[in-house]
Amino acid sequence: MQKIPLILTRPKGSNAVFEADIAPKVRQHVDFIHSPLLEIVPIDGGYDSTGADHAIFTSANGVKYAPKGNGRRAFCVGEKTTQLARSHGWDAVFAGATVLALKDHVLINRPQGEIHHYSGVFVRGNVAEDLSVAGLRVTNIPLYEQRLLPFSAQALSVLERRAPVVVPLFSPRTAAHFAAIAPAHPQLYVVAMSTAVADSCNEMSPARLIIAREPTAKSMALCVENLVLNHSLG
């Protein structure tokens, strides 16, 4: 079985984690090509965190660049982000697998006091705005930039061929960027983390578009594994 190119477009550290999540029986059939399309660049902190009674984290990067929790409550999207927040001193609560689920959770619990949503410059879901309209005191605190990057030379070389290529895409912004800079490819197989990501893939006209059952890295890995093992490519 010829190895199938698998282009990984997440930031460098996240690509390595996702690659490790792929089962060994699948990894032997895959040629991993690391081509981050986003670069995470921290913003110099000029914020005052002393007045924040609670935090909201919709990404692991928000946790990495936020102040330590010191026992304060944090509402988190995703199990991994929740676990990371706990390791940074937050009394972290898993508030759902999606931003929508998190907003519902916070609205039901209605925490009192100042809430900071620590995020990147580009943020989806209007978390702070929607929760503020509902009467909570929520402020968005951008801690990092998500800078767009070009394809690596290896990824571009693969995309210029006509052999099957698998690409897992985790965010609408990355998917839209991929669609904007990728050459037309007749055998592009895309695994999208959500319907929002899939909607950003329309301009690619992929040979096949699979949406993960859950918006998690584990579900994405399972989709990639099934695609490779079934070899329903080409």
PDB file of all heavy atoms in Angstrom, residues 199-232:
ATOM      1  N   ASP A 199     -18.251  24.402   5.821  1.00  0.00           N
ATOM      2  CA  ASP A 199     -18.793  25.493   4.999  1.00  0.00           C
ATOM      3  C   ASP A 199     -17.692  26.334   4.377  1.00  0.00           C
ATOM      4  O   ASP A 199     -17.874  26.918   3.295  1.00  0.00           O
ATOM      5  CB  ASP A 199     -19.704  26.386   5.847  1.00  0.00           C
ATOM      6  CG  ASP A 199     -21.017  25.709   6.218  1.00  0.00           C
ATOM      7  OD1 ASP A 199     -21.363  24.692   5.579  1.00  0.00           O
ATOM      8  OD2 ASP A 199     -21.686  26.182   7.154  1.00  0.00           O
ATOM      9  N   SER A 200     -16.550  26.402   5.052  1.00  0.00           N
ATOM     10  CA  SER A 200     -15.424  27.173   4.531  1.00  0.00           C
ATOM     11  C   SER A 200     -14.613  26.406   3.488  1.00  0.00           C
ATOM     12  O   SER A 200     -13.670  26.948   2.919  1.00  0.00           O
ATOM     13  CB  SER A 200     -14.494  27.585   5.690  1.00  0.00           C
ATOM     14  OG  SER A 200     -15.170  28.415   6.610  1.00  0.00           O
ATOM     15  N   CYS A 201     -14.991  25.141   3.255  1.00  0.00           N
ATOM     16  CA  CYS A 201     -14.264  24.297   2.302  1.00  0.00           C
ATOM     17  C   CYS A 201     -14.924  24.252   0.925  1.00  0.00           C
ATOM     18  O   CYS A 201     -14.416  23.576   0.020  1.00  0.00           O
ATOM     19  CB  CYS A 201     -14.170  22.863   2.843  1.00  0.00           C
ATOM     20  SG  CYS A 201     -13.267  22.707   4.394  1.00  0.00           S
ATOM     21  N   ASN A 202     -16.046  24.941   0.767  1.00  0.00           N
ATOM     22  CA  ASN A 202     -16.821  24.814  -0.467  1.00  0.00           C
ATOM     23  C   ASN A 202     -16.034  25.168  -1.714  1.00  0.00           C
ATOM     24  O   ASN A 202     -16.161  24.530  -2.762  1.00  0.00           O
ATOM     25  CB  ASN A 202     -18.088  25.683  -0.379  1.00  0.00           C
ATOM     26  CG  ASN A 202     -19.089  25.144   0.625  1.00  0.00           C
ATOM     27  OD1 ASN A 202     -19.123  23.942   0.887  1.00  0.00           O
ATOM     28  ND2 ASN A 202     -19.897  26.025   1.188  1.00  0.00           N
ATOM     29  N   GLU A 203     -15.167  26.195  -1.606  1.00  0.00           N
ATOM     30  CA  GLU A 203     -14.430  26.642  -2.785  1.00  0.00           C
ATOM     31  C   GLU A 203     -13.380  25.629  -3.229  1.00  0.00           C
ATOM     32  O   GLU A 203     -12.897  25.686  -4.357  1.00  0.00           O
ATOM     33  CB  GLU A 203     -13.769  27.991  -2.500  1.00  0.00           C
ATOM     34  CG  GLU A 203     -14.762  29.137  -2.333  1.00  0.00           C
ATOM     35  CD  GLU A 203     -14.059  30.464  -2.176  1.00  0.00           C
ATOM     36  OE1 GLU A 203     -12.831  30.517  -2.423  1.00  0.00           O
ATOM     37  OE2 GLU A 203     -14.719  31.443  -1.800  1.00  0.00           O
ATOM     38  N   MET A 204     -13.029  24.686  -2.365  1.00  0.00           N
ATOM     39  CA  MET A 204     -12.024  23.685  -2.727  1.00  0.00           C
ATOM     40  C   MET A 204     -12.577  22.634  -3.678  1.00  0.00           C
ATOM     41  O   MET A 204     -11.819  22.032  -4.423  1.00  0.00           O
ATOM     42  CB  MET A 204     -11.528  22.945  -1.468  1.00  0.00           C
ATOM     43  CG  MET A 204     -10.915  23.786  -0.406  1.00  0.00           C
ATOM     44  SD  MET A 204     -10.387  22.692   0.940  1.00  0.00           S
ATOM     45  CE  MET A 204     -10.372  23.830   2.302  1.00  0.00           C
ATOM     46  N   SER A 205     -13.873  22.369  -3.594  1.00  0.00           N
ATOM     47  CA  SER A 205     -14.497  21.266  -4.333  1.00  0.00           C
ATOM     48  C   SER A 205     -13.735  19.960  -4.094  1.00  0.00           C
ATOM     49  O   SER A 205     -13.240  19.338  -5.037  1.00  0.00           O
ATOM     50  CB  SER A 205     -14.552  21.582  -5.836  1.00  0.00           C
ATOM     51  OG  SER A 205     -15.316  22.738  -6.073  1.00  0.00           O
ATOM     52  N   PRO A 206     -13.619  19.543  -2.823  1.00  0.00           N
ATOM     53  CA  PRO A 206     -12.857  18.319  -2.536  1.00  0.00           C
ATOM     54  C   PRO A 206     -13.525  17.086  -3.118  1.00  0.00           C
ATOM     55  O   PRO A 206     -14.743  17.062  -3.331  1.00  0.00           O
ATOM     56  CB  PRO A 206     -12.851  18.270  -1.004  1.00  0.00           C
ATOM     57  CG  PRO A 206     -14.046  19.054  -0.586  1.00  0.00           C
ATOM     58  CD  PRO A 206     -14.218  20.130  -1.617  1.00  0.00           C
ATOM     59  N   ALA A 207     -12.723  16.057  -3.361  1.00  0.00           N
ATOM     60  CA  ALA A 207     -13.274  14.795  -3.852  1.00  0.00           C
ATOM     61  C   ALA A 207     -14.208  14.190  -2.818  1.00  0.00           C
ATOM     62  O   ALA A 207     -15.191  13.518  -3.156  1.00  0.00           O
ATOM     63  CB  ALA A 207     -12.139  13.828  -4.178  1.00  0.00           C
ATOM     64  N   ARG A 208     -13.896  14.416  -1.553  1.00  0.00           N
ATOM     65  CA  ARG A 208     -14.754  13.951  -0.468  1.00  0.00           C
ATOM     66  C   ARG A 208     -14.564  14.858   0.732  1.00  0.00           C
ATOM     67  O   ARG A 208     -13.449  15.282   1.025  1.00  0.00           O
ATOM     68  CB  ARG A 208     -14.429  12.505  -0.096  1.00  0.00           C
ATOM     69  CG  ARG A 208     -15.427  11.891   0.888  1.00  0.00           C
ATOM     70  CD  ARG A 208     -15.132  10.422   1.132  1.00  0.00           C
ATOM     71  NE  ARG A 208     -16.025   9.851   2.102  1.00  0.00           N
ATOM     72  CZ  ARG A 208     -15.871   8.650   2.663  1.00  0.00           C
ATOM     73  NH1 ARG A 208     -14.843   7.894   2.294  1.00  0.00           N
ATOM     74  NH2 ARG A 208     -16.722   8.199   3.560  1.00  0.00           N
ATOM     75  N   LEU A 209     -15.669  15.161   1.393  1.00  0.00           N
ATOM     76  CA  LEU A 209     -15.638  16.008   2.583  1.00  0.00           C
ATOM     77  C   LEU A 209     -16.335  15.269   3.716  1.00  0.00           C
ATOM     78  O   LEU A 209     -17.518  14.946   3.619  1.00  0.00           O
ATOM     79  CB  LEU A 209     -16.331  17.346   2.307  1.00  0.00           C
ATOM     80  CG  LEU A 209     -16.481  18.306   3.485  1.00  0.00           C
ATOM     81  CD1 LEU A 209     -15.119  18.691   4.052  1.00  0.00           C
ATOM     82  CD2 LEU A 209     -17.259  19.553   3.072  1.00  0.00           C
ATOM     83  N   ILE A 210     -15.600  14.994   4.787  1.00  0.00           N
ATOM     84  CA  ILE A 210     -16.130  14.276   5.938  1.00  0.00           C
ATOM     85  C   ILE A 210     -16.161  15.220   7.131  1.00  0.00           C
ATOM     86  O   ILE A 210     -15.186  15.928   7.398  1.00  0.00           O
ATOM     87  CB  ILE A 210     -15.245  13.057   6.274  1.00  0.00           C
ATOM     88  CG1 ILE A 210     -15.190  12.102   5.084  1.00  0.00           C
ATOM     89  CG2 ILE A 210     -15.744  12.341   7.524  1.00  0.00           C
ATOM     90  CD1 ILE A 210     -14.147  11.009   5.233  1.00  0.00           C
ATOM     91  N   ILE A 211     -17.288  15.241   7.835  1.00  0.00           N
ATOM     92  CA  ILE A 211     -17.414  16.066   9.031  1.00  0.00           C
ATOM     93  C   ILE A 211     -17.348  15.162  10.256  1.00  0.00           C
ATOM     94  O   ILE A 211     -18.063  14.163  10.344  1.00  0.00           O
ATOM     95  CB  ILE A 211     -18.739  16.854   9.032  1.00  0.00           C
ATOM     96  CG1 ILE A 211     -18.816  17.751   7.786  1.00  0.00           C
ATOM     97  CG2 ILE A 211     -18.857  17.709  10.294  1.00  0.00           C
ATOM     98  CD1 ILE A 211     -20.138  18.474   7.627  1.00  0.00           C
ATOM     99  N   ALA A 212     -16.474  15.505  11.189  1.00  0.00           N
ATOM    100  CA  ALA A 212     -16.311  14.710  12.398  1.00  0.00           C
ATOM    101  C   ALA A 212     -17.621  14.669  13.186  1.00  0.00           C
ATOM    102  O   ALA A 212     -18.380  15.646  13.208  1.00  0.00           O
ATOM    103  CB  ALA A 212     -15.193  15.288  13.260  1.00  0.00           C
ATOM    104  N   ARG A 213     -17.881  13.546  13.822  1.00  0.00           N
ATOM    105  CA  ARG A 213     -19.112  13.404  14.616  1.00  0.00           C
ATOM    106  C   ARG A 213     -19.123  14.363  15.799  1.00  0.00           C
ATOM    107  O   ARG A 213     -20.172  14.848  16.202  1.00  0.00           O
ATOM    108  CB  ARG A 213     -19.253  11.963  15.103  1.00  0.00           C
ATOM    109  CG  ARG A 213     -19.593  10.973  14.004  1.00  0.00           C
ATOM    110  CD  ARG A 213     -19.903   9.607  14.587  1.00  0.00           C
ATOM    111  NE  ARG A 213     -20.306   8.662  13.547  1.00  0.00           N
ATOM    112  CZ  ARG A 213     -20.679   7.408  13.777  1.00  0.00           C
ATOM    113  NH1 ARG A 213     -20.689   6.949  15.026  1.00  0.00           N
ATOM    114  NH2 ARG A 213     -21.040   6.618  12.773  1.00  0.00           N
ATOM    115  N   GLU A 214     -17.954  14.598  16.378  1.00  0.00           N
ATOM    116  CA  GLU A 214     -17.819  15.521  17.501  1.00  0.00           C
ATOM    117  C   GLU A 214     -16.673  16.486  17.200  1.00  0.00           C
ATOM    118  O   GLU A 214     -15.709  16.112  16.524  1.00  0.00           O
ATOM    119  CB  GLU A 214     -17.516  14.769  18.806  1.00  0.00           C
ATOM    120  CG  GLU A 214     -18.613  13.799  19.229  1.00  0.00           C
ATOM    121  CD  GLU A 214     -18.234  13.038  20.480  1.00  0.00           C
ATOM    122  OE1 GLU A 214     -17.031  13.058  20.865  1.00  0.00           O
ATOM    123  OE2 GLU A 214     -19.123  12.418  21.086  1.00  0.00           O
ATOM    124  N   PRO A 215     -16.761  17.712  17.693  1.00  0.00           N
ATOM    125  CA  PRO A 215     -15.685  18.685  17.427  1.00  0.00           C
ATOM    126  C   PRO A 215     -14.495  18.480  18.358  1.00  0.00           C
ATOM    127  O   PRO A 215     -14.124  19.364  19.141  1.00  0.00           O
ATOM    128  CB  PRO A 215     -16.393  20.027  17.684  1.00  0.00           C
ATOM    129  CG  PRO A 215     -17.410  19.709  18.731  1.00  0.00           C
ATOM    130  CD  PRO A 215     -17.886  18.313  18.432  1.00  0.00           C
ATOM    131  N   THR A 216     -13.890  17.307  18.267  1.00  0.00           N
ATOM    132  CA  THR A 216     -12.740  16.974  19.110  1.00  0.00           C
ATOM    133  C   THR A 216     -11.618  16.400  18.253  1.00  0.00           C
ATOM    134  O   THR A 216     -11.870  15.848  17.178  1.00  0.00           O
ATOM    135  CB  THR A 216     -13.115  15.933  20.181  1.00  0.00           C
ATOM    136  OG1 THR A 216     -13.489  14.703  19.535  1.00  0.00           O
ATOM    137  CG2 THR A 216     -14.275  16.426  21.041  1.00  0.00           C
ATOM    138  N   ALA A 217     -10.394  16.498  18.754  1.00  0.00           N
ATOM    139  CA  ALA A 217      -9.249  15.940  18.039  1.00  0.00           C
ATOM    140  C   ALA A 217      -9.377  14.423  17.929  1.00  0.00           C
ATOM    141  O   ALA A 217      -8.981  13.829  16.919  1.00  0.00           O
ATOM    142  CB  ALA A 217      -7.948  16.319  18.743  1.00  0.00           C
ATOM    143  N   LYS A 218      -9.930  13.789  18.952  1.00  0.00           N
ATOM    144  CA  LYS A 218     -10.108  12.333  18.924  1.00  0.00           C
ATOM    145  C   LYS A 218     -11.032  11.920  17.791  1.00  0.00           C
ATOM    146  O   LYS A 218     -10.752  10.958  17.053  1.00  0.00           O
ATOM    147  CB  LYS A 218     -10.665  11.844  20.263  1.00  0.00           C
ATOM    148  CG  LYS A 218     -10.857  10.341  20.331  1.00  0.00           C
ATOM    149  CD  LYS A 218     -11.374   9.906  21.693  1.00  0.00           C
ATOM    150  CE  LYS A 218     -11.576   8.395  21.754  1.00  0.00           C
ATOM    151  NZ  LYS A 218     -12.077   7.957  23.082  1.00  0.00           N
ATOM    152  N   SER A 219     -12.138  12.638  17.636  1.00  0.00           N
ATOM    153  CA  SER A 219     -13.072  12.322  16.567  1.00  0.00           C
ATOM    154  C   SER A 219     -12.446  12.581  15.199  1.00  0.00           C
ATOM    155  O   SER A 219     -12.661  11.819  14.248  1.00  0.00           O
ATOM    156  CB  SER A 219     -14.348  13.157  16.728  1.00  0.00           C
ATOM    157  OG  SER A 219     -15.327  12.788  15.788  1.00  0.00           O
ATOM    158  N   MET A 220     -11.652  13.637  15.096  1.00  0.00           N
ATOM    159  CA  MET A 220     -10.949  13.927  13.844  1.00  0.00           C
ATOM    160  C   MET A 220      -9.980  12.806  13.509  1.00  0.00           C
ATOM    161  O   MET A 220      -9.879  12.356  12.358  1.00  0.00           O
ATOM    162  CB  MET A 220     -10.207  15.254  13.974  1.00  0.00           C
ATOM    163  CG  MET A 220     -11.085  16.483  14.026  1.00  0.00           C
ATOM    164  SD  MET A 220     -11.796  16.910  12.405  1.00  0.00           S
ATOM    165  CE  MET A 220     -10.350  17.591  11.597  1.00  0.00           C
ATOM    166  N   ALA A 221      -9.253  12.328  14.517  1.00  0.00           N
ATOM    167  CA  ALA A 221      -8.292  11.242  14.290  1.00  0.00           C
ATOM    168  C   ALA A 221      -9.000   9.980  13.815  1.00  0.00           C
ATOM    169  O   ALA A 221      -8.511   9.286  12.907  1.00  0.00           O
ATOM    170  CB  ALA A 221      -7.506  10.968  15.568  1.00  0.00           C
ATOM    171  N   LEU A 222     -10.145   9.675  14.392  1.00  0.00           N
ATOM    172  CA  LEU A 222     -10.905   8.492  13.984  1.00  0.00           C
ATOM    173  C   LEU A 222     -11.344   8.603  12.520  1.00  0.00           C
ATOM    174  O   LEU A 222     -11.301   7.617  11.775  1.00  0.00           O
ATOM    175  CB  LEU A 222     -12.120   8.306  14.889  1.00  0.00           C
ATOM    176  CG  LEU A 222     -11.832   7.809  16.305  1.00  0.00           C
ATOM    177  CD1 LEU A 222     -13.106   7.831  17.148  1.00  0.00           C
ATOM    178  CD2 LEU A 222     -11.247   6.395  16.278  1.00  0.00           C
ATOM    179  N   CYS A 223     -11.763   9.790  12.112  1.00  0.00           N
ATOM    180  CA  CYS A 223     -12.170  10.005  10.715  1.00  0.00           C
ATOM    181  C   CYS A 223     -10.994   9.774   9.767  1.00  0.00           C
ATOM    182  O   CYS A 223     -11.145   9.132   8.723  1.00  0.00           O
ATOM    183  CB  CYS A 223     -12.717  11.418  10.531  1.00  0.00           C
ATOM    184  SG  CYS A 223     -14.349  11.700  11.242  1.00  0.00           S
ATOM    185  N   VAL A 224      -9.841  10.305  10.130  1.00  0.00           N
ATOM    186  CA  VAL A 224      -8.644  10.117   9.306  1.00  0.00           C
ATOM    187  C   VAL A 224      -8.283   8.637   9.231  1.00  0.00           C
ATOM    188  O   VAL A 224      -7.978   8.101   8.160  1.00  0.00           O
ATOM    189  CB  VAL A 224      -7.462  10.939   9.862  1.00  0.00           C
ATOM    190  CG1 VAL A 224      -6.151  10.537   9.169  1.00  0.00           C
ATOM    191  CG2 VAL A 224      -7.718  12.434   9.689  1.00  0.00           C
ATOM    192  N   GLU A 225      -8.339   7.957  10.365  1.00  0.00           N
ATOM    193  CA  GLU A 225      -8.002   6.539  10.399  1.00  0.00           C
ATOM    194  C   GLU A 225      -8.921   5.712   9.527  1.00  0.00           C
ATOM    195  O   GLU A 225      -8.475   4.844   8.753  1.00  0.00           O
ATOM    196  CB  GLU A 225      -8.056   6.040  11.864  1.00  0.00           C
ATOM    197  CG  GLU A 225      -6.934   6.587  12.723  1.00  0.00           C
ATOM    198  CD  GLU A 225      -7.166   6.376  14.212  1.00  0.00           C
ATOM    199  OE1 GLU A 225      -8.178   5.743  14.566  1.00  0.00           O
ATOM    200  OE2 GLU A 225      -6.344   6.847  15.010  1.00  0.00           O
ATOM    201  N   ASN A 226     -10.231   5.968   9.618  1.00  0.00           N
ATOM    202  CA  ASN A 226     -11.194   5.240   8.798  1.00  0.00           C
ATOM    203  C   ASN A 226     -10.978   5.491   7.316  1.00  0.00           C
ATOM    204  O   ASN A 226     -11.071   4.573   6.477  1.00  0.00           O
ATOM    205  CB  ASN A 226     -12.629   5.622   9.199  1.00  0.00           C
ATOM    206  CG  ASN A 226     -13.016   5.099  10.563  1.00  0.00           C
ATOM    207  OD1 ASN A 226     -12.476   4.099  11.017  1.00  0.00           O
ATOM    208  ND2 ASN A 226     -13.950   5.777  11.214  1.00  0.00           N
ATOM    209  N   LEU A 227     -10.671   6.727   6.978  1.00  0.00           N
ATOM    210  CA  LEU A 227     -10.444   7.092   5.593  1.00  0.00           C
ATOM    211  C   LEU A 227      -9.228   6.353   5.038  1.00  0.00           C
ATOM    212  O   LEU A 227      -9.263   5.794   3.925  1.00  0.00           O
ATOM    213  CB  LEU A 227     -10.258   8.600   5.470  1.00  0.00           C
ATOM    214  CG  LEU A 227     -10.224   9.226   4.085  1.00  0.00           C
ATOM    215  CD1 LEU A 227     -11.522   8.966   3.344  1.00  0.00           C
ATOM    216  CD2 LEU A 227      -9.968  10.713   4.187  1.00  0.00           C
ATOM    217  N   VAL A 228      -8.160   6.319   5.817  1.00  0.00           N
ATOM    218  CA  VAL A 228      -6.920   5.681   5.362  1.00  0.00           C
ATOM    219  C   VAL A 228      -7.066   4.163   5.306  1.00  0.00           C
ATOM    220  O   VAL A 228      -6.672   3.519   4.318  1.00  0.00           O
ATOM    221  CB  VAL A 228      -5.735   6.078   6.273  1.00  0.00           C
ATOM    222  CG1 VAL A 228      -4.497   5.261   5.936  1.00  0.00           C
ATOM    223  CG2 VAL A 228      -5.453   7.566   6.152  1.00  0.00           C
ATOM    224  N   LEU A 229      -7.647   3.572   6.340  1.00  0.00           N
ATOM    225  CA  LEU A 229      -7.765   2.116   6.388  1.00  0.00           C
ATOM    226  C   LEU A 229      -8.731   1.582   5.332  1.00  0.00           C
ATOM    227  O   LEU A 229      -8.501   0.523   4.751  1.00  0.00           O
ATOM    228  CB  LEU A 229      -8.222   1.668   7.786  1.00  0.00           C
ATOM    229  CG  LEU A 229      -7.186   1.839   8.893  1.00  0.00           C
ATOM    230  CD1 LEU A 229      -7.763   1.418  10.232  1.00  0.00           C
ATOM    231  CD2 LEU A 229      -5.921   1.038   8.592  1.00  0.00           C
ATOM    232  N   ASN A 230      -9.813   2.313   5.107  1.00  0.00           N
ATOM    233  CA  ASN A 230     -10.759   1.889   4.062  1.00  0.00           C
ATOM    234  C   ASN A 230     -10.191   2.127   2.684  1.00  0.00           C
ATOM    235  O   ASN A 230     -10.620   1.523   1.702  1.00  0.00           O
ATOM    236  CB  ASN A 230     -12.088   2.634   4.211  1.00  0.00           C
ATOM    237  CG  ASN A 230     -12.837   2.228   5.467  1.00  0.00           C
ATOM    238  OD1 ASN A 230     -12.647   1.132   5.985  1.00  0.00           O
ATOM    239  ND2 ASN A 230     -13.688   3.115   5.964  1.00  0.00           N
ATOM    240  N   HIS A 231      -9.236   3.050   2.630  1.00  0.00           N
ATOM    241  CA  HIS A 231      -8.548   3.395   1.378  1.00  0.00           C
ATOM    242  C   HIS A 231      -9.549   3.700   0.269  1.00  0.00           C
ATOM    243  O   HIS A 231      -9.381   3.316  -0.884  1.00  0.00           O
ATOM    244  CB  HIS A 231      -7.608   2.267   0.945  1.00  0.00           C
ATOM    245  CG  HIS A 231      -6.560   2.717  -0.027  1.00  0.00           C
ATOM    246  ND1 HIS A 231      -5.915   3.928   0.091  1.00  0.00           N
ATOM    247  CD2 HIS A 231      -6.031   2.117  -1.137  1.00  0.00           C
ATOM    248  CE1 HIS A 231      -5.059   4.053  -0.905  1.00  0.00           C
ATOM    249  NE2 HIS A 231      -5.099   2.979  -1.656  1.00  0.00           N
ATOM    250  N   SER A 232     -10.615   4.403   0.659  1.00  0.00           N
ATOM    251  CA  SER A 232     -11.615   4.806  -0.330  1.00  0.00           C
ATOM    252  C   SER A 232     -11.196   6.108  -0.974  1.00  0.00           C
ATOM    253  O   SER A 232     -11.919   7.094  -0.993  1.00  0.00           O
ATOM    254  CB  SER A 232     -12.976   4.971   0.356  1.00  0.00           C
ATOM    255  OG  SER A 232     -12.872   5.826   1.476  1.00  0.00           O
TER     256      SER A 232
END
